[in-house]
Amino acid sequence: MSVTHQPGQPPQKQEATWMPLVDTIPGCPPGLEYLTQLDQILIEQQVDLIEVLLSWECNNKYRVMNSMNQQCYYAAEKTDSLMRLCCGSDRGFKIHVVDNSGKEVLRIRRDFKCCGGCCWCADADCAAHEVIVETPEGEPLGYVRQLPSKWKGHYGILDSSRNQMMEIWGPCCGCQGLCCRADVEFPVRSMQDGNIVSKISKQWGGVARELFTDSEKFSVTFPQDLDVKVKATLMGAVFLIHFMYYEQEESHNS
């Protein structure tokens, strides 16, 4: 699918099926009303022919859909070429999330940390990768922070005051291939009682998609009545997991 986009403008692409408009809801951050209707979102990275043909890392682009494959948002990374080339999957980034009218409703950003990513040292601010999920005006809605571990991916879901609400333990290896075609799951547990309240899954995309492109597809399931700010933060967790588990493989392949 051919896609071009600049933040603040609607994406130009082939005709898509749009999720019906949702009325303004008191107390809900503007533009996130779609999330109040959903108990699952699908996030699909778009294939970029330049990357496929030339192995040149481009800004990532994603479609965000509901369970009926109706598009509700479009997300586009904005990172300069030098940062992508030199820092690969460890780069700092901003992902602008726009609604179907092209209006920016959410921003997900990660600051660059030259020592970031080491799971053994993630209790130190200089080593822990973190994404901030915020409104276009810069008001934080939540944070997703890498937490210390021996070897598995470990992340905390924090509210706007940095109180940890949930945690995610990922697998040792998130690889998928000819011998491993199952979805890779990242369960999200409540810090209050330890129960699973959400689940992020890296979906198996088929042999051709997995071996010959760097286009990934994720799903996030959660209770429909979950706070919309927490849903938005879980969306941010998908992007952090994508960069730390799968963008790293893509950068090494390039």
Side-chain angles (χ1 to χ4, degrees):
M1 181 180 293
S2 176
V3 179
T4 59
H5 172 262
Q6 294 182 353
Q9 297 180 5
Q12 304 298 316
K13 58 183 183 307
Q14 296 177 1
E15 184 177 355
T17 302
W18 310 108
M19 182 174 174
L21 293 174
V22 180
D23 293 333
T24 301
I25 299 174
C28 178
L32 299 186
E33 292 86 0
Y34 283 121
L35 294 179
T36 65
Q37 308 294 309
L38 303 179
D39 60 6
Q40 181 183 50
I41 56 173
L42 306 174
I43 300 177
E44 183 179 48
Q45 185 182 4
Q46 301 296 279
V47 176
D48 196 307
L49 291 179
I50 294 178
E51 288 191 359
V52 174
L53 297 176
L54 302 180
S55 295
W56 180 269
E57 185 66 28
C58 299
N59 278 316
N60 291 334
K61 310 172 191 69
Y62 310 84
R63 290 179 64 205
V64 183
M65 300 165 287
N66 62 19
S67 58
M68 296 183 290
N69 285 322
Q70 295 174 324
Q71 183 168 315
C72 45
Y73 298 109
Y74 183 80
E77 177 191 1
K78 188 174 180 61
T79 306
D80 64 63
S81 299
L82 185 61
M83 175 69 77
R84 295 196 306 274
L85 180 64
C86 296
C87 302
S89 61
D90 292 326
R91 63 186 181 266
F93 59 78
K94 286 184 180 180
I95 295 176
H96 300 268
V97 181
V98 301
D99 63 16
N100 290 334
S101 69
K103 180 181 178 181
E104 186 176 18
V105 299
L106 197 65
R107 189 174 299 159
I108 299 166
R109 62 180 175 90
R110 180 177 75 174
D111 296 331
F112 172 70
K113 296 182 179 180
C114 62
C115 300
C118 176
C119 60
W120 288 50
C121 305
D123 53 347
D125 286 339
C126 63
H129 279 312
E130 180 181 79
V131 297
I132 303 170
V133 181
E134 59 189 11
T135 66
E137 295 74 31
E139 178 187 352
L141 301 179
Y143 302 83
V144 186
R145 181 181 174 87
Q146 181 188 9
L147 299 177
S149 67
K150 298 295 185 182
W151 54 83
K152 292 185 176 183
H154 187 201
Y155 308 94
I157 305 296
L158 287 63
D159 64 17
S160 60
S161 299
R162 291 189 172 274
N163 299 309
Q164 186 174 345
M165 303 176 291
M166 305 172 185
E167 69 174 349
I168 302 172
W169 280 98
C172 297
C173 175
C175 66
Q176 293 173 310
L178 294 176
C179 60
C180 182
R181 306 187 184 189
D183 293 351
V184 181
E185 296 188 350
F186 298 80
V188 184
R189 297 182 182 274
S190 168
M191 297 301 297
Q192 185 174 3
D193 54 21
N195 291 330
I196 295 176
V197 295
S198 176
K199 183 175 67 175
I200 296 171
S201 299
K202 162 63 173 67
Q203 298 184 345
W204 166 251
V207 174
R209 189 184 188 102
E210 296 292 340
L211 296 185
F212 300 110
T213 77
D214 62 1
S215 175
E216 315 290 355
K217 188 172 183 178
F218 295 85
S219 68
V220 191
T221 57
F222 36 62
Q224 184 172 335
D225 61 356
L226 187 67
D227 189 316
V228 69
K229 295 180 182 179
V230 180
K231 292 182 180 181
T233 305
L234 289 171
M235 187 189 306
V238 171
F239 294 116
L240 183 59
I241 288 171
H242 175 226
F243 271 82
M244 293 191 67
Y245 269 83
Y246 301 102
E247 190 79 7
Q248 186 172 29
E249 295 176 4
E250 296 158 11
S251 298
H252 288 168
N253 290 339
S254 297

